[in-house]
Amino acid sequence: MKDSHKNHPHPPWEEMRKNPCMLCGEVSRILHQRMRECSERAGINLSYRPFIHFLNEHDGVTQLDLVRATHLAAPTVSVTLQKMEQEGLITRKTDSSDQRQLLVYITQAGRELHDRAREQIVKTEDQALAGITPEERQTLLAILTRMRDNLIEERSAKANHETD
C-alpha cells in the first residue's frame, strides 16, 4: 500500500519555508493586511499612506519627486494628490525659485493623520519583529534592500529597453 501523503503536495507553509520569495510574499501580504487595518483605525485612506509618510519627512517636493519615491505612475500620483488636497491633507504652492514648479506640502491635518497612523504601524512593526535581534534586523534589511534594488533595476532596464 502506498503512503497516501506522498500523493499530495506539501502544505503551502512547507513550500514557503524553502523559497525566500514565496515567504517574502506571504509576509508582505500579512503586513499589508495589518497595515490596512492600522490605517483604517487611524482614519487614513490606504492609498495616502506613502504620500503622508514621505511628505512628513520631505516636505515641499515636486510631484515628480513623489512619483520617484512611491514608484507609482504619474497619473496615479496626480489623482491621489488632488484627493488629498481636497481633504486638506496637502497643499501645493508655486516654487519661489522656479515659477513653473508646484511644490507639495503636508498640512497640519496631514501631520496629525501621519502621527495617528504611525502610532498604529509601530505596534504592528514591533509585533512582526519581536524576538529578532538588532544584528538579525540589519541582516534582514540588507537582504531585503538588495532584493528590492534588484527588482527595481530590472524594471528600469526593461523600461529602457522598451523605449529603444
Side-chain angles (χ1 to χ4, degrees):
M1 181 171 179
K2 288 188 178 181
D3 206 356
S4 62
H5 74 277
K6 288 184 179 180
N7 295 329
H8 300 289
H10 291 289
W13 175 241
E14 290 301 317
E15 290 299 315
M16 279 185 244
R17 290 193 336 174
K18 297 175 188 174
N19 184 320
C21 290
M22 286 179 72
L23 188 55
C24 279
E26 177 70 359
V27 169
S28 176
R29 185 189 65 73
I30 293 168
L31 276 174
H32 186 75
Q33 178 184 359
R34 297 277 174 89
M35 295 301 178
R36 182 175 44 247
E37 292 166 1
C38 289
S39 294
E40 288 171 0
R41 279 194 297 276
I44 186 172
N45 180 319
L46 188 61
S47 64
Y48 296 176
R49 201 174 66 224
F51 298 96
I52 293 286
H53 177 71
F54 187 80
L55 289 169
N56 192 63
E57 300 296 320
H58 308 282
D59 208 15
V61 297
T62 66
Q63 190 167 312
L64 182 58
D65 293 330
L66 288 167
V67 167
R68 289 178 180 143
T70 61
H71 302 286
L72 295 170
T76 302
V77 171
S78 179
V79 168
T80 304
L81 291 178
Q82 287 173 0
K83 291 177 184 175
M84 292 175 70
E85 191 170 32
Q86 290 169 355
E87 293 180 29
L89 301 174
I90 63 149
T91 186
R92 293 187 246 200
K93 299 177 186 172
T94 304
D95 185 345
S96 59
S97 62
D98 183 352
Q99 300 294 310
R100 299 169 298 169
Q101 292 279 1
L102 274 180
L103 300 180
V104 181
Y105 294 88
I106 191 169
T107 64
Q108 184 59 35
R111 287 192 193 284
E112 291 168 6
L113 188 60
H114 172 270
D115 292 346
R116 284 195 312 270
R118 189 73 200 135
E119 194 176 294
Q120 294 290 318
I121 288 167
V122 166
K123 290 178 186 176
T124 300
E125 289 172 346
D126 288 346
Q127 181 184 17
L129 296 171
I132 298 174
T133 68
E135 295 80 17
E136 290 170 328
R137 287 180 189 206
Q138 289 305 311
T139 300
L140 178 61
L141 283 170
I143 292 167
L144 292 173
T145 298
R146 190 174 316 151
M147 289 173 68
R148 178 189 172 275
D149 291 348
N150 289 342
L151 294 169
I152 288 173
E153 287 172 16
E154 186 271 338
R155 182 194 296 170
S156 295
K158 188 176 182 180
N160 288 338
H161 178 70
E162 289 173 359
T163 59
D164 289 342

